[in-house]
Amino acid sequence: MYRVISCALFEHEPFQLALAAGICAACFTAVALVAMHAEASRKARRGWIACMALIAGGGAWATHFVAMLAYRPPVAVGFEIGLTAVSLVIGVAGAWLAFFIREKRRDRLGTAASGAAFGSGVAALHFIGMASLRADAYRLWEFDLIVASWLLCVGFSLAAFQTLSKNKSLYRHLLACGFFVAAVISLHFTAMGALTLVPLALDVDLTGTLNGTGLAVMIGITVAGMLCVVALQAFAEQRVDLARMQNEAKSQFLASMSHELRTPLTSIIAYTEELAYSAAQDKRQADLRDANVILEASQHLLGLISDLMDYSKIQEGKFEIEPRTFPFAAFVDDIVAVSKPLAAKNENELVVELGSKLEMIDTDEARLRQCLLNLMSNAAKFTHGGLVRLRISDDWRGGARGVLFEVIDTGIGIDKEKQARIFERFRQADETVTRRYGGAGFGLSIVSEIAARLGGEVSVESEPGAGSCFSLWVLSNLRGLEAGASTLQNRADANEDERAAA
Amino acid sequence: MKPLILLVEDHDDNRAVIKRRLERRGHEVVEADDGASAVEAYAKHKPQLIIMDLSMPNMSGFDALARIRELDEEGCARCIAVTAHSMQSIEERCAQVGFDGFLAKPIDFGLLSDEIDRHLSASD
């Protein structure tokens, strides 16, 4: 005890020593405040844990080396830069481990592990820091005091984490801060008391080591770096917060907008159907035609509202795919039945070529149907008095079995430079097209997104004036492939099974 | 005589047109314009089938269904949810709380007719 006190009093410069204590108190107050904030906000947890580790570990490190600046041994000393840096890393790593454990486990064992990790980290920091000391002297270590310094440090760390584990008041956090400071300072002076430098003319070379000024610069840079990281973290949290709030507000807005739009549309459609009904009863053909025009436009509007909702779900990453296994032929029949009136509207002829031998398909039925009907209605919309063909064939791509749907029309076609862009979000090939044919231009971007989510792709080939061919390829066994996606062998097996089942 | 249907919808025009069409199909229709009056109408008329909107003033369709289920000791009432909400989660929630069917607005009357026939033949 006497050794420790005399070391602290007679071998250190008091002003610099006070500075070290001040840095220590400031850093751990910051740790306590960050811990309180992180507790309350429960956001960006990992970032805040990293921040606490950086300030706590870096603060203990800065305290140690400022105290080393205050140290006045009887010989000239220098600090090896490599080991000095290693000691900083060890200190931060120990603190990170401690706060990480605290995040995972708040029980007694977790608290004990946190305290041990933090205390041992700071002790390791200290002794590696001492190993970086170069002096023209022989070192005498007192083993008892080394053990005592470690015990003190771990003991106070345990007290700090125990204090933090109870209630979360400011008082508790500041008390914990006091324990942290006690851990670092008691360790430092006990361990310094364990060391006696016996001056010897050994001609130890101090070149290439940091002198006091160099060390001070390194400490300054480290502390400034710590502040920058904390500021960046606060900024990042703010942004995460803002982005999430904006996203939530947007999707809430779109959901209620969709509800508000559907409600009057319900009246429009129901009453127009009534008008169509009475017009048909009374054989008023002109009125019946007019009513049907309103109904078609209403259905179109309804489709746009659904597309808008899909589009917003895709943007937020909330677009879900629900695969199941179903008979393929019946699915194709259904698509053809729904496509017939679409094609007939512009006096187009619909031709279906079913070349696939697939019996069962595993994919998201509703989404695949949505894609195909979108392509079919586009083909019918941009073709007048021509041919709309749906060609379906089995096709292997990248070692996986899939189905290729080709929708071929003899319509107006698309310019080469515009073909690449039509699958991009919110873009129709030409504004004049939008005006003439309607559509907000996100139908194809939704098709493209769905195709990707069904393990496939969509592409277009077209010649202006001659027509277009949209090719949609999707996996015929979406879940089978996902389950065995790790190896090609598994893929082959999955498809083999499927063939056996078929 | 077709069985009695309780139609619960807060939007007057929409309720009127659905009622007209149900009556054209030969059903007798009792109306309610919010969840609370739906519970009253149920207690009074004990209809076999309920067509219920979800978002309504005073009492939502969910709460009204829960109250009706308490009154319906024999458990023979069938209830179809109708809503302009388009989220998939709504349909799942409806199934969870015990609605027997689900239809999105705008109502496809063909689908509604199929649903009605399915539930009325099941409860016979």
Side-chain angles (χ1 to χ4, degrees):
Chain A
M1 197 65 195
Y2 167 76
R3 175 74 196 97
V4 172
I5 292 167
S6 78
C7 166
L9 289 182
F10 303 121
E11 293 174 23
H12 287 81
E13 202 277 316
F15 173 71
Q16 290 174 350
L17 208 55
L19 182 66
I23 287 175
C24 192
C27 285
F28 282 100
T29 308
V31 170
L33 294 178
V34 168
M36 243 183 109
H37 170 79
E39 198 69 44
S41 87
R42 304 214 66 83
K43 274 181 303 236
R45 307 289 295 173
R46 283 187 189 160
W48 284 123
I49 289 174
C51 274
M52 287 192 279
L54 202 64
I55 316 171
W61 179 84
T63 306
H64 171 81
F65 280 98
V66 172
M68 290 311 291
L69 286 177
Y71 184 47
R72 293 283 182 273
V75 291
V77 294
F79 300 88
E80 243 180 67
I81 191 161
L83 278 176
T84 307
V86 169
S87 69
L88 171 63
V89 173
I90 295 282
V92 173
W96 180 81
L97 188 61
F99 286 111
F100 181 75
I101 294 170
R102 176 172 176 261
E103 177 68 16
K104 296 282 165 200
R105 295 188 62 146
R106 293 287 173 102
D107 56 358
R108 221 174 248 191
L109 190 66
T111 304
S114 295
F118 186 81
S120 303
V122 174
L125 176 167
H126 179 93
F127 290 107
I128 292 170
M130 290 314 290
S132 79
L133 187 74
R134 283 278 163 277
D136 202 358
Y138 181 73
R139 293 157 206 233
L140 273 179
W141 288 99
E142 281 179 49
F143 186 70
D144 299 357
L145 282 176
I146 292 178
V147 174
S149 71
W150 180 79
L151 286 176
L152 273 171
C153 187
V154 170
F156 278 120
S157 302
L158 283 173
F161 280 98
Q162 179 63 30
T163 310
L164 281 181
S165 77
K166 286 183 183 154
N167 71 42
K168 312 286 188 244
S169 64
L170 177 63
Y171 164 74
R172 279 271 164 192
H173 279 86
L174 290 179
L175 188 62
C177 160
F179 282 127
F180 279 125
V181 171
V184 172
I185 290 184
S186 66
L187 166 94
H188 187 86
F189 292 108
T190 313
M192 288 309 286
L195 174 68
T196 309
L197 289 180
V198 183
L200 283 175
L202 293 175
D203 280 339
V204 170
D205 187 9
L206 293 183
T207 52
T209 61
L210 289 172
N211 60 11
T213 314
L215 190 60
V217 169
M218 189 169 170
I219 295 167
I221 291 172
T222 307
V223 172
M226 275 157 48
L227 288 178
C228 286
V229 170
V230 176
L232 280 175
Q233 164 68 15
F235 183 62
E237 190 199 66
Q238 197 76 32
R239 283 192 38 174
V240 165
D241 230 27
L242 205 67
R244 192 186 3 225
M245 273 165 55
Q246 281 174 342
N247 247 336
E248 268 169 23
K250 198 180 77 183
S251 76
Q252 189 57 49
F253 170 76
L254 276 170
S256 58
M257 205 59 193
S258 151
H259 180 264
E260 294 311 302
L261 289 171
R262 275 166 206 266
T263 302
L265 208 48
T266 303
S267 299
I268 293 174
I269 291 176
Y271 280 93
T272 311
E273 280 172 354
E274 284 298 290
L275 289 178
Y277 173 79
S278 59
Q281 293 282 308
D282 303 346
K283 302 200 168 28
R284 285 180 277 117
Q285 291 306 320
D287 289 349
L288 182 60
R289 260 200 316 276
D290 291 354
N292 281 332
V293 171
I294 303 177
L295 283 177
E296 261 172 45
S298 306
Q299 290 298 343
H300 181 74
L301 190 54
L302 194 59
L304 287 179
I305 296 169
S306 301
D307 277 359
L308 191 61
M309 291 300 287
D310 281 349
Y311 182 78
S312 116
K313 277 186 211 147
I314 289 170
Q315 276 202 323
E316 285 164 47
K318 285 183 187 162
F319 192 76
E320 277 169 23
I321 294 291
E322 290 169 3
R324 58 183 199 88
T325 307
F326 54 93
F328 187 60
F331 172 77
V332 172
D333 286 347
D334 179 50
I335 295 289
V336 172
V338 180
S339 300
K340 259 182 197 153
L342 287 176
K345 215 163 64 182
N346 283 343
E347 282 94 38
N348 292 310
E349 191 188 341
L350 176 68
V351 178
V352 180
E353 298 166 24
L354 179 57
S356 167
K357 292 182 184 64
L358 197 63
E359 287 196 16
M360 300 299 281
I361 183 168
D362 187 277
T363 189
D364 186 322
E365 183 179 5
R367 294 303 183 187
L368 180 58
R369 188 185 140 95
Q370 184 183 352
C371 282
L372 287 171
L373 290 182
N374 186 298
L375 296 180
M376 293 300 286
S377 74
N378 273 347
K381 186 158 72 179
F382 295 113
T383 310
H384 293 264
L387 201 64
V388 174
R389 265 194 300 165
L390 173 63
R391 194 154 66 191
I392 304 169
S393 52
D394 293 327
D395 190 16
W396 291 71
R397 288 188 185 178
R401 186 180 182 182
V403 195
L404 176 64
F405 301 89
E406 288 164 291
V407 178
I408 306 157
D409 66 52
T410 55
I412 58 170
I414 306 159
D415 283 345
K416 271 272 172 300
E417 65 266 30
K418 286 168 188 163
Q419 288 175 22
R421 298 198 323 236
I422 55 171
F423 296 111
E424 286 175 25
R425 295 178 177 181
F426 274 113
R427 206 173 249 171
Q428 211 163 34
D430 196 330
E431 267 188 36
T432 55
V433 174
T434 316
R435 274 190 221 116
R436 197 166 145 208
Y437 294 95
F442 36 45
L444 282 174
S445 68
I446 294 170
V447 169
S448 163
E449 177 71 23
I450 294 175
R453 297 287 300 274
L454 297 181
E457 58 199 346
V458 62
S459 61
V460 64
E461 276 173 46
S462 180
E463 197 159 313
S468 307
C469 170
F470 282 85
S471 305
L472 171 70
W473 183 84
V474 296
L475 290 172
S476 51
N477 190 352
L478 182 59
R479 279 178 301 180
L481 197 69
E482 272 177 354
S486 51
T487 61
L488 268 175
Q489 187 55 45
N490 280 351
R491 289 190 187 194
D493 288 348
N495 287 304
E496 203 61 58
D497 291 346
E498 189 191 298
R499 248 174 278 158
Chain B
M1 184 64 205
K2 290 252 187 176
L4 187 66
I5 294 178
L6 171 59
L7 175 62
V8 193
E9 159 74 76
D10 62 325
H11 192 293
D12 294 342
D13 295 334
N14 284 347
R15 192 177 63 248
V17 74
I18 298 170
K19 178 176 188 248
R20 195 192 297 176
R21 292 173 142 200
L22 290 173
E23 284 173 346
R24 195 180 296 143
R25 281 190 96 227
H27 297 287
E28 193 184 332
V29 180
V30 182
E31 295 174 77
D33 62 1
D34 64 19
S37 55
V39 177
E40 271 173 42
Y42 177 79
K44 195 168 158 197
H45 301 283
K46 296 273 176 184
Q48 278 180 308
L49 186 77
I50 305 160
I51 298 170
M52 181 129 70
D53 189 20
L54 293 180
S55 342
M56 291 180 296
N58 298 332
M59 191 190 283
S60 77
F62 289 111
D63 294 336
L65 178 73
R67 299 280 289 277
I68 287 172
R69 290 280 186 244
E70 284 168 20
L71 295 173
D72 177 25
E73 279 157 6
E74 295 110 55
C76 55
R78 294 282 175 275
C79 194
I80 302 171
V82 175
T83 183
H85 285 293
S86 57
M87 291 91 73
Q88 228 158 11
S89 53
I90 284 271
E91 189 172 347
E92 283 158 20
R93 192 174 154 208
C94 284
Q96 272 170 15
V97 303
F99 277 102
D100 302 291
F102 179 90
L103 282 174
K105 285 187 194 171
I107 297 168
D108 181 330
F109 202 76
L111 287 180
L112 179 62
S113 304
D114 292 348
E115 279 283 292
I116 291 171
D117 292 343
R118 185 164 72 87
H119 289 300
L120 290 182
S121 66
S123 65
D124 279 346

